């Protein structure tokens, strides 16, 4: 039955994106079905947002993204890909096809329209060279998130068994299972990097594998032997990007008759030597600096740093700058076992949840907005904040600011405990909200770590709620929105499209707060 449900979701989505002939690529990340489209005008956004399974839509550069949520997207994507293959010659849906959301209430539609306008504004601003580069970096790491999550949870389970005194063969097996991927993560980063930068993926992986090869200990740089793994994912990123550049250079100049021999050899040799005698050392210093800076920041200025990071994360997401944090998270996980930044940033989602509850209570007469909040809130609690951000708080204006205040409060509390000696980290990137609990780690044991994180969430909920309830609306706006209420029967269809709203112009990140 579940398979039929996922097939039905894929079947419902396909004609609304213009049919199989309009789909040029199909991939997915933690929460989103990512599509390449030949003609954007053939997409019926309103009808897509009206589908019960769709939590939101995002247009990020050349990628059209449909938010389905964690778990569901991994099951719908292969069904969708099969439908595209089976219906390659299907007739696209006319651009002026009937919308399924015509019956939505005017208030919810107004919010969704305003959210779409904001999304379009930010999308146009995000097409700068720096932000496009950051998006490419994110595309390298996003496919690794499922493995990071799986291995992180297994590592946490193994640590729990050790704390319970059950050390033995099983814990050794769990350690091997959870550590294998992290030991070779540089290879996967290299593979994805070469693919993203126009090279042969396996050559990127081959060059990145040099970094984790035990034999590098026999190579001396500046009189000091290299350490296997030195430079980690940052070194692998640089090495594979260089390999892609060398390969493209060779393809333009090497005769076709000897290309199959010369190009791979020169690619691996040149980029490999540069990696050994330069990149590994430089990337190692950078990685060590990142770890030191993160520790110092939260140890000495934890409350202030947490307040700033938690309060500014949602605006960073809007600007597309949060993508620069993905390699930093991965570097911290690789070097220290967990990233101390993610739990702080996750508090932004908590502020958003508290804000949404206050909006629903303040707009008691507005059935459509209350339905929007009610349908989007469970996803927000689990860390999928897109429907609430662009479907509720940002279009309303002031509630977006009060949601950031809630995030700042939660981040400040987590940072304060870090100053007091209890660090809260996450063994994987992607999930946030309540979904992050299985991936928590720290220096004081799982119980203390989970307690601090839980207190941070409660602070984010409470302050986000209070700030929005007290300061989220002026009297004129409050009266106007409550006066726009429609009978429940007229606004009932608004729940799905309004909750879907539109999403932030980015990745997760997977599972962005």
């Amino acid at each position: 039955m579940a398979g039929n449900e996922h097939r039905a979701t894929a079947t419902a989505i396909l004609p609304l994106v213009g049919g199989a002939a309009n789909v040029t690529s199909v991939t997915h990340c933690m929460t989103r079905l990512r599509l390449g489209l030949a003609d954007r005008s053939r997409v019926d956004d309103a009808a897509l947002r009206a589908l019960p399974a769709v939590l939101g839509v995002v247009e990020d550069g050349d990628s059209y993204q449909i938010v389905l949520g964690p778990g569901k997207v991994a099951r719908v994507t292969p069904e969708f890909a099969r439908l595209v293959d089976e219906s390659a010659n299907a007739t696209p849906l006319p651009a002026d096809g009937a919308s399924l959301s015509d019956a939505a209430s005017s208030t919810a539609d107004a919010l969704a329209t305003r959210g779409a306008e904001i999304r379009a504004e930010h999308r146009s601003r995000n097409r700068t060279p720096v932000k496009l580069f950051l998006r490419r970096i994110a595309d390298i790491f996003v496919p690794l998130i499922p493995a990071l999550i799986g291995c992180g949870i297994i590592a946490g389970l193994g640590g729990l068994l050790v704390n319970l005194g059950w050390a033995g063969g099983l814990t050794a097996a769990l350690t091997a299972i959870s550590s294998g991927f992290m030991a070779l993560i540089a290879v996967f980063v290299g593979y994805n990097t070469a693919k993203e930068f126009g090279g042969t993926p396996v050559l990127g992986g081959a060059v990145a594998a040099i970094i984790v090869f035990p034999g590098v200990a026999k190579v001396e740089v500046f009189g000091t032997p290299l350490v296997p793994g030195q430079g980690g994912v940052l070194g692998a990123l640089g090495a594979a990007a260089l390999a892609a550049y060398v390969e493209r250079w060779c393809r333009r100049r090497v005769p076709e008759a000897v290309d199959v021999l010369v190009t791979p050899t020169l690619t691996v040799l040149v980029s490999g030597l540069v990696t050994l005698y330069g990149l590994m050392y430089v990337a190692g210093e950078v990685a060590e600096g990142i770890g030191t800076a993160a520790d110092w920041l939260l140890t000495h200025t934890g409350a202030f740093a947490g307040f700033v990071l938690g309060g500014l994360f949602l605006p960073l997401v809007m600007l597309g700058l949060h993508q620069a944090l993905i390699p930093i998270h991965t570097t911290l996980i690789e070097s220290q076992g967990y990233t101390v930044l993610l739990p702080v940033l996750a508090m932004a989602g908590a502020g958003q949840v508290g804000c949404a509850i206050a909006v629903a209570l303040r707009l008691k007469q507005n059935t459509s907005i209350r339905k929007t909040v009610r349908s989007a809130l469970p996803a927000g609690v689990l860390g999928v904040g897109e429907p609430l951000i662009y479907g509720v708080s940002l279009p309303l204006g002031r509630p977006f600011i009060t949601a950031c205040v809630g995030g700042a409060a939660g981040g400040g509390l987590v940072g304060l405990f870090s100053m007091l000696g209890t660090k809260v980290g996450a063994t994987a990137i992607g999930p946030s909200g309540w979904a992050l609990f299985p991936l928590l780690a720290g220096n004081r044991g799982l119980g203390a770590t989970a307690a601090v994180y839980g207190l941070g969430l409660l602070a984010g909920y409470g302050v986000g709620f209070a700030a929005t309830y007290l300061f989220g609306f002026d009297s004129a706006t409050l009266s106007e929105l409550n006066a726009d209420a429609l009978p429940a029967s007229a606004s009932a269809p608004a729940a799905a499209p309004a909750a879907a709203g539109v999403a932030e112009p980015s990745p997760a990140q997977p599972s962005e707060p």
Side-chain angles (χ1 to χ4, degrees):
M1 292 298 292
N4 292 337
E5 175 189 343
H6 303 316
R7 178 83 173 187
T9 299
T11 302
I13 291 173
L14 184 57
L16 301 181
V17 296
N22 197 40
V23 178
T24 59
S25 65
V26 181
T27 58
H28 75 89
C29 63
M30 188 69 187
T31 60
R32 304 171 189 174
L33 171 63
R34 296 171 175 248
L35 305 178
L37 300 176
D39 186 353
R40 170 65 179 82
S41 66
R42 294 180 178 178
V43 178
D44 189 339
D45 296 288
L48 272 173
R49 292 195 298 268
L51 294 178
V54 174
L55 298 176
V57 295
V58 184
E59 190 170 2
D60 189 8
D62 297 328
S63 174
Y64 188 83
Q65 304 170 17
I66 302 172
V67 184
L68 299 175
K72 181 181 288 291
V73 69
R75 293 165 173 80
V76 171
T77 300
E79 296 290 348
F80 186 88
R82 276 192 284 270
L83 282 175
V84 171
D85 291 338
E86 295 168 1
S87 311
N89 298 318
T91 303
L93 182 72
D96 59 351
S99 170
L100 298 180
S101 60
D102 290 341
S105 72
S106 58
T107 306
D109 280 346
L111 285 184
T113 301
R114 177 56 185 149
E117 293 171 355
I118 295 171
R119 179 193 64 178
E121 292 169 6
H122 289 295
R123 184 172 67 247
S124 63
R125 295 174 190 168
N126 280 345
R127 296 191 64 83
T128 64
V130 171
K131 292 174 183 176
L132 290 174
F133 175 77
L134 291 177
R135 188 173 298 130
R136 298 185 77 177
I137 298 300
D139 288 341
I140 292 168
F141 288 91
V142 163
L144 305 179
I145 289 177
L148 283 169
I149 293 173
C151 294
I153 291 177
I154 294 171
L157 178 59
L160 178 62
L161 293 179
V162 170
N163 291 336
L164 293 175
W166 293 355
L170 178 59
T171 55
L174 293 176
T175 300
I177 293 171
S178 62
S179 302
F181 171 74
M182 292 305 301
L184 297 175
I185 189 174
V187 179
F188 295 97
V189 169
Y191 185 95
N192 288 345
T193 300
K195 182 179 179 181
E196 184 65 29
F197 282 87
T200 301
V202 72
L203 292 180
V207 174
I210 297 170
I211 293 175
V212 296
F213 176 58
V216 299
K218 298 179 180 180
V219 179
E220 292 189 0
V221 178
F222 306 124
T224 304
L226 292 173
V227 177
Q230 185 173 339
V233 296
L234 298 181
L237 185 69
L242 175 62
Y245 173 81
V246 173
E247 181 185 359
R248 294 198 308 272
W249 186 90
C250 290
R251 299 289 185 200
R252 292 192 299 268
R253 292 167 176 80
V254 174
E256 291 184 5
V258 294
D259 178 77
V260 70
L261 297 176
V262 175
T263 297
T265 303
L266 287 179
T267 297
V268 175
L269 178 62
V270 173
S271 54
L273 288 174
V274 174
T275 298
L276 286 171
Y277 290 101
L279 286 176
M280 284 185 66
Y281 177 81
V282 173
E285 293 297 308
V286 172
E288 184 176 347
I290 289 174
T292 301
D295 286 340
W296 185 91
L297 188 68
L298 291 179
T299 300
H300 294 86
T301 67
F304 175 75
F307 185 88
V308 172
L309 291 173
L312 293 182
F313 186 66
L314 290 180
L316 285 178
V317 169
M318 290 173 52
L319 295 173
L321 299 178
H322 71 295
Q323 293 168 337
L325 297 173
I326 296 177
I328 296 176
H329 287 312
T330 309
T331 298
L332 290 173
I333 292 170
E334 185 183 31
S335 61
Q336 300 182 355
Y338 52 81
T339 168
V340 293
L341 297 180
L342 182 59
V344 173
L345 300 176
M347 295 301 123
Q352 185 70 43
V353 168
C355 164
I357 296 173
V359 166
L361 291 180
R362 290 291 271 166
L363 304 181
K364 292 181 180 179
Q365 306 303 317
N366 197 309
T367 307
S368 62
I369 293 181
R370 286 169 61 85
K371 284 183 177 291
T372 296
V373 172
R374 194 157 52 242
S375 57
L377 200 57
V381 171
L382 293 175
V384 182
E386 297 97 332
L388 289 176
I389 294 173
Y390 276 86
V392 179
S393 66
L394 192 55
L396 288 172
R398 195 183 295 182
F400 182 76
I401 299 174
T402 56
C404 292
V405 173
L413 184 62
V414 174
L416 174 62
F417 275 95
S418 184
M419 289 180 65
L420 298 176
T422 302
K423 293 182 180 180
V424 179
T427 58
I429 57 176
S432 62
W434 284 77
L436 192 60
F437 272 104
L439 293 165
L440 292 177
N443 63 337
R444 298 288 189 183
L446 182 59
T449 302
V452 171
Y453 181 72
L455 287 174
L457 288 179
L458 292 177
Y461 296 155
V463 174
F465 174 87
T468 304
Y469 194 90
L470 296 174
F471 308 108
F473 302 94
D474 57 42
S475 57
T477 301
L478 198 61
S479 299
E480 179 183 351
L481 290 172
N482 275 318
D484 284 341
L486 294 179
S489 59
S491 61
V502 285
E504 95 277 356
S506 139
Q509 200 42 253
S511 129
E512 298 90 345

